[in-house]
């Protein structure tokens, strides 16, 4: 990469991840982006490169430990520092507690919790270098969670638990590394108009959902904060009388 600020965005081929990656590119960041499908992440990289950013794409399945390790190694090889880490990839599952099989629980936690932990662990040295290179703002971790990790929703126990754990990871990162300039923010929105919410569109009009640009705006605002402002969590609700809901 160049001397420009650099960001890694997981889950960058679509939805919120792509929206954040595009905003980062427009703001002058070079990017490493990854997603599970090679074709979609390559297409996303081409669209992101149209902003003038240097973009490197990797096909990565975050449920596979070797893929996560390889992604860390790619960042170590291509970057002399990392300014922003966006933990955007995630999977969901639904069903009553007594019905969701443990193998599904394990897969959700592998992608939503274990992989982010491994990425933070492996990339902290690069993030610390990013913080040292920009002492006014430091380096930022932005993790995409869900309002179900804050306020429980029937049928989403596994998904909500994984996102609550992601929030706990971000708070622990702040306790350990924010004094040295690396801080973490988890964004926990209600329903966002992406393909992940297609299954509820008969109940919730997409026009009433949060937009990907709303979440991207919040993520970008975090990257612009000074090193003295640590924001552990941003909960984003939809309008109405029942705010503690997806």
């Amino acid at each position: 990469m160049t001397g420009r600020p650099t960001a890694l965005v997981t889950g960058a081929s679509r939805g919120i991840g792509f929206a954040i990656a595009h905003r980062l590119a427009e703001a002058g960041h070079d990017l490493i982006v990854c997603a599970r499908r090679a074709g979609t992440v390559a297409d996303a990289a081409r669209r992101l490169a149209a902003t003038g950013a240097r973009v490197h794409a990797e096909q990565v399945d975050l449920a596979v430990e070797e893929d996560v390790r390889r992604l860390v190694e790619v960042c170590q090889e291509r970057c002399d520092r990392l300014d922003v880490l966006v933990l955007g990839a995630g999977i969901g599952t639904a069903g009553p507690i007594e019905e969701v099989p443990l193998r599904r629980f394990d897969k959700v936690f592998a992608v939503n919790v274990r992989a982010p932990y491994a990425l933070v662990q492996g990339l902290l040295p690069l993030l610390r270098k990013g913080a040292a290179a920009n002492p006014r703002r430091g380096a930022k971790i932005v993790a995409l969670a869900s309002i179900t990790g804050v306020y429980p929703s029937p049928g989403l126990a596994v998904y909500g638990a994984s996102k609550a754990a992601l929030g706990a990871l971000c708070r622990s990162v702040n306790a350990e590394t924010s004094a040295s300039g690396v801080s973490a923010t988890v964004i926990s929105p209600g329903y966002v108009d992406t393909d992940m919410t297609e299954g509820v569109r008969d109940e919730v009009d997409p026009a009433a959902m949060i937009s990907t640009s709303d979440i991207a705006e919040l993520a970008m605002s975090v990257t612009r904060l000074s090193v003295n402002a640590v924001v552990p969590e941003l909960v984003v609700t939809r309008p109405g009388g029942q705010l503690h809901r997806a």
Side-chain angles (χ1 to χ4, degrees):
M1 293 292 183
T2 67
R4 287 155 44 107
T6 302
L8 167 63
V9 183
T10 70
S13 65
R14 58 187 181 178
I16 301 171
F18 180 81
I20 295 174
H22 195 269
R23 291 289 299 274
L24 286 166
E26 289 182 324
H29 291 73
D30 288 335
L31 301 173
I32 296 176
V33 296
C34 73
R36 188 164 56 88
R37 294 184 176 87
T40 56
V41 73
D43 178 65
R46 284 191 292 271
R47 289 184 285 156
L48 292 167
T51 65
R54 291 193 178 187
V55 184
H56 176 78
E58 285 285 327
Q59 185 274 321
V60 172
D61 185 344
L62 292 179
V64 178
E65 185 174 350
E66 290 182 1
D67 278 18
V68 178
R69 187 181 302 116
R70 174 170 54 82
L71 181 59
V72 170
E73 291 171 353
V74 166
C75 292
Q76 292 169 337
E77 291 169 0
R78 300 186 68 89
C79 306
D80 58 5
R81 76 177 202 254
L82 194 63
D83 300 270
V84 181
L85 169 59
V86 179
L87 301 170
I91 60 173
T93 194
I97 292 172
E98 66 268 27
E99 294 180 8
V100 177
L102 286 176
R103 67 178 182 276
R104 187 61 184 171
F105 177 99
D106 291 340
K107 179 71 173 289
V108 170
F109 268 73
V111 175
N112 293 0
V113 185
R114 193 180 194 279
Y117 183 92
L119 289 173
V120 170
Q121 184 180 65
L123 296 173
L124 264 176
L126 285 177
L127 287 163
R128 288 192 174 105
K129 289 180 180 179
N134 189 354
R136 187 171 72 86
R137 289 185 177 171
K140 311 293 185 182
I141 299 169
V142 177
L144 301 180
S146 167
I147 199 170
T148 61
V150 182
Y151 305 112
S153 182
L156 295 175
V158 175
Y159 181 65
S162 73
K163 294 304 188 178
L166 184 60
L169 171 61
C170 289
R171 291 189 290 274
S172 294
V173 167
N174 288 331
E176 294 187 18
T177 69
S178 61
S180 60
V182 180
S183 63
T185 299
V186 61
I187 302 178
S188 300
Y191 288 133
V192 180
D193 184 18
T194 69
D195 56 1
M196 281 194 70
T197 56
E198 286 181 356
V200 298
R201 289 181 180 178
D202 57 339
E203 303 172 17
V204 181
D205 186 347
M209 293 183 184
I210 300 160
S211 71
T212 57
S213 62
D214 288 330
I215 307 305
E217 180 69 20
L218 288 173
M220 289 305 300
S221 70
V222 169
T223 69
R224 296 183 179 116
L225 294 175
S226 80
V227 71
N228 293 328
V230 177
V231 181
E233 185 168 21
L234 293 167
V235 178
V236 188
T237 69
R238 295 184 295 112
Q242 297 178 333
L243 296 180
H244 299 167
R245 59 172 185 177

